[in-house]
Amino acid sequence: AADEKERVFITHFEEAFKIYELGDFEKAKLLFEACLAEKPDDQATGLFIERCHKFIERGKPSSWDGAYTLLQK
């Protein structure tokens, strides 16, 4: 049962990530939030929700290619 839950989570995360790469941050955020409901302690999911929120507030960078560039350590 745990393996099946993990497979479902991974499938949902991959779907959310594809939408994120396309730059649809509103939809990606909703999908990542659903992932977080499935696995509340997943740090990567929380990070992507945070990034989506920033992009929703600030807008998608004009040079968006699906990659996130760290601006500070």
Side-chain angles (χ1 to χ4, degrees), residues 50-61:
E50 186 179 306
R51 288 179 181 173
C52 286
H53 184 71
K54 286 180 184 176
F55 287 135
I56 291 165
E57 282 186 341
R58 299 178 186 163
K60 180 170 59 174

Side-chain angles (χ1 to χ4, degrees), residues 13-26:
F13 185 92
E14 287 174 344
E15 180 183 352
F17 186 74
K18 286 177 188 172
I19 300 298
Y20 171 87
E21 285 185 309
L22 293 173
D24 186 347
F25 302 114
E26 294 275 356

Side-chain angles (χ1 to χ4, degrees), residues 2-73:
D3 287 341
E4 181 60 26
K5 278 187 170 185
E6 187 69 18
R7 274 195 288 276
V8 169
F9 172 80
I10 290 169
T11 299
H12 291 161
F13 185 92
E14 287 174 344
E15 180 183 352
F17 186 74
K18 286 177 188 172
I19 300 298
Y20 171 87
E21 285 185 309
L22 293 173
D24 186 347
F25 302 114
E26 294 275 356
K27 184 174 181 184
K29 183 174 174 269
L30 292 173
L31 294 171
F32 281 126
E33 287 171 343
C35 289
L36 201 61
E38 294 173 18
K39 193 173 179 182
D41 61 341
D42 189 70
Q43 292 179 342
T45 301
L47 179 67
F48 279 104
I49 290 170
E50 186 179 306
R51 288 179 181 173
C52 286
H53 184 71
K54 286 180 184 176
F55 287 135
I56 291 165
E57 282 186 341
R58 299 178 186 163
K60 180 170 59 174
S62 59
S63 61
W64 179 254
D65 63 0
Y68 186 83
T69 305
L70 293 175
L71 301 176
Q72 56 186 338
K73 284 186 177 184

